[in-house]
């Protein structure tokens, strides 16, 4: 007989198709270069700036010294650099800046679809048999992953930070649902961290 803690730790096989949902946009992203989007080049330059700052020991930048013709600008005081720090870390590990941006985009897609699946499964839990709940949650994840707004962020607007934020949103819902159902201190801490992002 499974205890509640062992049920929580068991792997849900439906997470695999949820993670594979964005395969079509991922294949489109894996072409050489980056997608020609409105903000794509801007995020490339921001990631380059953050990578250069990280090389010199600044791990959470506020000032962008190379912006505005080398005069500098306090850009990262009003624009959170989280997505750029993630891409810069990958670039400094040898992936290169362009491939790092693509890797963050791919990770955002997978993060969004798996988070939407888990949130929907948690929301639908108890309404039907577990297999039906899992299928409904997978459909919800597909609807979330292929919303026009996410596809616009990916292939038209190209705002890396917004794409990553949209991918964290279902994880916030999942964590908050766990807290609402009386989960332990770990879930409360996870919910607080997810919402604080």
């Amino acid at each position: 007989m499974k205890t509640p803690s062992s049920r929580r730790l068991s792997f849900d096989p439906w997470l695999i198709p949820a993670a594979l949902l964005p395969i079509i946009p991922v294949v489109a992203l894996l072409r050489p270069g980056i997608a020609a989007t409105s903000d794509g080049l801007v995020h490339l330059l921001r990631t380059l700036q953050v990578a250069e700052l990280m090389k010199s020991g600044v791990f959470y930048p506020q000032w962008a010294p190379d912006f505005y013709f080398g005069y500098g600008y306090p850009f990262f005081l009003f624009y959170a650099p989280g997505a750029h720090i993630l891409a810069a870390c990958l670039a400094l590990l040898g992936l290169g800046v362009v491939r790092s941006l693509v890797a963050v985009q791919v990770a955002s897609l997978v993060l969004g679809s798996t988070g939407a699946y888990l949130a929907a499964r948690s929301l639908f839990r108890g309404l039907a048999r577990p297999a039906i709940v899992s299928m409904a949650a997978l459909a919800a994840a597909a609807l979330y992953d292929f919303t026009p707004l996410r596809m616009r962020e990916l292939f038209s607007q190209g705002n890396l930070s917004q794409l990553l934020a949209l991918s964290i949103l279902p994880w916030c819902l999942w964590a908050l649902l766990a807290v609402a159902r009386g989960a332990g201190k770990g879930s409360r801490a996870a919910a607080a961290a997810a919402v604080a992002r």
Side-chain angles (χ1 to χ4, degrees):
M1 181 173 165
K2 287 185 175 181
T3 64
S5 61
S6 66
R7 259 186 256 128
R8 256 184 265 136
L9 295 175
S10 64
F11 177 74
D12 183 357
W14 286 85
L15 274 172
I16 295 171
L20 292 174
L21 278 173
I23 193 73
I24 294 171
V26 166
V27 168
L29 288 172
L30 293 180
R31 295 177 298 165
I34 57 174
T37 60
S38 300
D39 289 350
L41 185 58
V42 171
H43 288 280
L44 178 72
L45 294 173
R46 291 174 187 168
T47 302
L48 279 169
Q49 179 70 88
V50 171
E52 288 301 313
L53 288 168
M54 289 178 87
K55 283 181 192 174
S56 62
V58 179
F59 298 105
Y60 193 87
Q62 296 177 355
W63 183 263
D66 297 321
F67 285 11
Y68 294 95
F69 305 104
Y71 289 108
Y73 191 72
F75 180 76
F76 296 113
L77 282 175
F78 61 88
Y79 192 95
H84 302 103
I85 289 173
L86 184 59
C89 286
L90 293 172
L92 292 174
L93 288 173
L95 199 55
V97 177
V98 172
R99 292 289 100 192
S100 297
L101 289 172
V102 171
V104 172
Q105 289 174 324
V106 169
S108 296
L109 290 173
V110 173
L111 201 67
S113 63
T114 54
Y117 168 78
L118 290 172
R121 187 190 68 181
S122 181
L123 193 62
F124 300 151
R125 188 179 67 186
L127 297 178
R129 288 182 294 150
I132 293 173
V133 167
S134 293
M135 285 189 278
L138 189 63
L143 289 172
Y144 184 80
D145 220 26
F146 292 101
T147 57
L149 177 62
R150 283 176 60 80
M151 293 298 111
R152 177 184 171 272
E153 285 301 338
L154 200 58
F155 296 113
S156 177
Q157 181 68 27
N159 191 319
L160 186 68
S161 301
Q162 286 178 191
L163 181 68
L164 186 59
L166 285 170
S167 299
I168 294 171
L169 187 63
W171 288 92
C172 295
L173 176 60
W174 179 61
L176 290 172
L177 285 168
V179 169
R181 290 204 166 104
K185 291 179 184 175
S187 294
R188 280 184 247 148
V195 173
R197 162 53 177 104

